Amino acid sequence: MYQLKPLIDFNDKLSTNSPMYSMKNIHTKNVNSDCNEVVYDDVILNNVEKKQDELLKQINEIKDLLAILKAELSKPKIASPGKEKHKMHNKNVDFLKNGVNYDVVLNASVKNPPNSLLVLNKLWPDLVKFEFSWHVHSSLKGLPKNLQKFENLSANDSKSSTSQLRIRVVWKEVWCDCELVVSPLNCAPLLGEVNFLRFLNNNLSYEEMDTSTQTIFQTKLDICHCLQYCDNFQQQQEYYSDLIDGLEKNKWLAGNQLTIVDVACWSVLTNMKNPNLNSSLSKWFNNCNAYLTKSN
Amino acid sequence: MVIEAQEVNKNENQESANISKKQQKKLAKDALKAARKDEKKQTTENAEPEEDISAGCYGRFNLIQSEDDATSERRKRVFTHVKCLQKGIVGSTVWVRARLHTSRAKGKQCFVVLRQQEFTVQGILAVSEKTSKAMVKFASNISKESLLDICAIVSLTPQRIDSCSQKDVELNIIQIWEVSRAKPQLPLLVEDASRPVTDEDEGLNIRVNQDTRLDNRVLDLRTPANQAIFRLESYVCHLFREALSNQGFIEIHTPKIINAASEGGANVFTVSYFKGNAYLAQSPQLYKQMAIAGDFEKVFTVGAVFRAEDSNTHRHLTEFVGLDLEMAFKYHYHEVMQTIGNVFLEIFKALRKRTSELEAVKQQYGFEPFKFLDPPLCLDYSVGISMLREAGEEVGDEDDLSTPQEKLLGRLVRAKYDTDFYILDKFPLAIRPFYTMPDPHNPKYSNSYDMFMRGEEILSGAQRIHDPELLTERAKHHGIDVEKIKSYIESFLYGCPPHAGGGIGLERVVMLYLGLDNIRKTSMFPRDPKRLTP
């Protein structure tokens, strides 16, 4: 564009005659102010800016920390049944998070060996793998021959380094059939094979059960435990009839799926010298035996 | 004779007429005394052959200088051990050589307790047609701890004697001879020294201080508990040798005077060696390894080890017996670790059968049976650390365990696994000596292991580096002057099989197996910074 010269020259400042007190313009810094003052203002402003930045940073840090805390505090909620189930589906059973440190110890009695150990890997086949190691406690002088079958178990599983739970079985003089020590600091030992199975079931099973089935399930487990210490024929038969309740409709003792009830009952009956089984129970037992002892 | 004495008196009086009266009186008195003594002696001498029916059945042997010839009656005597005095031989006459444990004279009777090693039996001597009063008096005046030869008839006791180890029988003494006399004043009584350690204040509870015991170790060693402890200790050593020999190990002997400190330089004793200095071996480590490089494959050694550590704790000695072993393996050092673990198991299994000795120790110190697992429990160091953290202890991943932490871990392991013996594997590389082989998967860890008994470390071992270059590198990393360990590194120059090993302190193993509180109890003549005698 062609530039035009200004018609009027405003070299000198326009001074308006006003009665008002003129204020310093705060928006344009260099109006009516000398150089030093400008620098001073800048320094102040910079400082303020810096401070603000710092504060913002700190607030952000606090926010992050709070977020972490929140995440950590809400973890127990993750362990609630619903989410646990979700975890199970992902095949990420982490026993270490459930208070188990490295391994659990199962003190087993030689007289009533926990046969369920033999079939543990069949209960939750695609969910969890168990690793066993075997020890004899010094309270025993030697190991009976019939327990050799247990030792083979570790030989088969020793290759799997992906096991989620290491079970250290110690043959020992135990006053009940077996005793599970998870962590001596956090909880008392769990007595009895049935409770050992319950412990695993609580950690692993994702099957939702309504209250009534749950009650029957637990009652049957209790019966399995009592059966072991029962020396009265009458009582024994009563227990049996309770156990086979519902067996006509279902293949297994608690529904159409193999559960710990079957395993617990099978283990107890295997240890018994004369189980005096009735027909339906013996059919189930043979069935169970065949299923559990067949190799994969 | 009285008249005679008076006459002598008179004569004297006359002779010493010029001496002062006081002196005269005194002299007279003395003379009278002497006379009476003389008189008494004569009477007893005269009376003895007639009165003492037991002469020849008691007295003091002359110093036995092996003067008896082969046909003499004394050499044909068959002696019975006190522990063999049982119901089965009631009525037979036996010879026993034993110490006088205690004696108690009661009118015309004298009860003695005789002790041979840790076994005690009661003996009775009573005045009768065969036994004279003088013999009973002689018996009751024998000082305690004297060594006696006794001929006696074994008889049943009317009541069980609870204070003796032989509870059903006692000895009716026929002959009693003093073989070696003990000084009547004893620095400590064996009875006091063997009193059970209890916290109860009831009754007589005199105890003997540990230092008094060690100052008079000869007397102290006579207590049943000490007899048992040192017999067990010998047995442990024997078992160690036997278990390893059965597996093809050979015993070697390594020099104890060496030219350079074998493990670090701080805790080593310097001895003058002709014109220069030499050191006392802190461990047979290097020599064991050289034996491996010399193709012996499996070696062990039993010998003294010296540590110049000025620590006066319950578990440190400056000289102790080291049981060391070293073994070449094929591909994994766990072959060696398991071998060592099994040696321990064999020792433990054999020891639990020695019930009589264990009972003796239990009597005095209380003994909680030693628990172990077969096969032994083996945990990784990281697992141990996480167990400690679970218990609220703050430990870094690569920290060494302090003594309280070790003990705590021992308690945790005992609570969970119910075992007093366990192996901790894969220690951090940083806290092990320079010759320890690093872990192949994680450079922070190493192929090394410690074994623990009742929460205290008894063995520390590892796979050793058998490659001279890696060894030099590790030594430099630890700031060790490579020149000084040149001969050690050189021994691997000509090829050496992979090997691992470890060393045990004999005294410590016995102490911990028995659950004793002080290592001085399991060392016969302990050496510590404050004790060089006896």
Side-chain angles (χ1 to χ4, degrees), chain B residues 6-24:
Chain B
Q6 279 173 350
E7 276 175 10
V8 171
N9 258 350
K10 272 179 194 166
N11 287 342
E12 261 183 19
N13 278 349
Q14 283 162 2
E15 275 169 22
S16 57
N18 50 351
I19 308 171
S20 74
K21 261 192 177 174
K22 234 183 188 176
Q23 274 180 328
Q24 268 183 26

Side-chain angles (χ1 to χ4, degrees), chain A residues 105-120 132 134 147 149-150 153 167-172 174 176-180 192-197 228 263-264 266-268 270-271:
Chain A
V105 181
L106 189 72
N107 293 318
S109 127
V110 183
K111 280 174 209 140
N112 291 312
N115 296 309
S116 51
L117 288 178
L118 293 167
V119 298
L120 271 191
F132 298 96
W134 305 88
L147 297 175
K149 60 183 174 187
F150 285 96
L153 209 57
I167 301 179
R168 220 178 266 276
V169 185
V170 179
W171 298 111
K172 192 178 169 184
V174 195
C176 64
D177 52 332
C178 70
E179 184 186 59
L180 179 75
E193 189 182 359
V194 170
N195 286 328
F196 164 62
L197 288 169
Q228 193 160 26
V263 174
W266 170 77
S267 168
V268 171
T270 314
N271 282 343

Side-chain angles (χ1 to χ4, degrees), chain A residues 99-105 107 134-142 168 170 172 181-186, chain B residues 349 352 370-380 383 386-388 390-392 412 415-419:
Chain A
V100 178
N101 189 351
Y102 180 64
D103 59 4
V104 293
V105 181
N107 293 318
W134 305 88
H135 299 272
V136 183
H137 193 258
S138 56
S139 56
L140 290 180
K141 291 283 176 292
R168 220 178 266 276
V170 179
K172 192 178 169 184
V181 185
V182 177
S183 158
L185 288 169
N186 300 332
Chain B
K349 278 181 187 169
R352 71 178 172 192
F370 190 82
K371 294 173 177 172
F372 56 90
L373 297 180
D374 177 17
L377 176 70
C378 177
L379 297 172
D380 275 3
V383 175
S386 71
M387 283 176 83
L388 280 174
E390 195 189 9
L412 292 173
K416 184 163 174 184
Y417 302 97
D418 201 23
T419 172

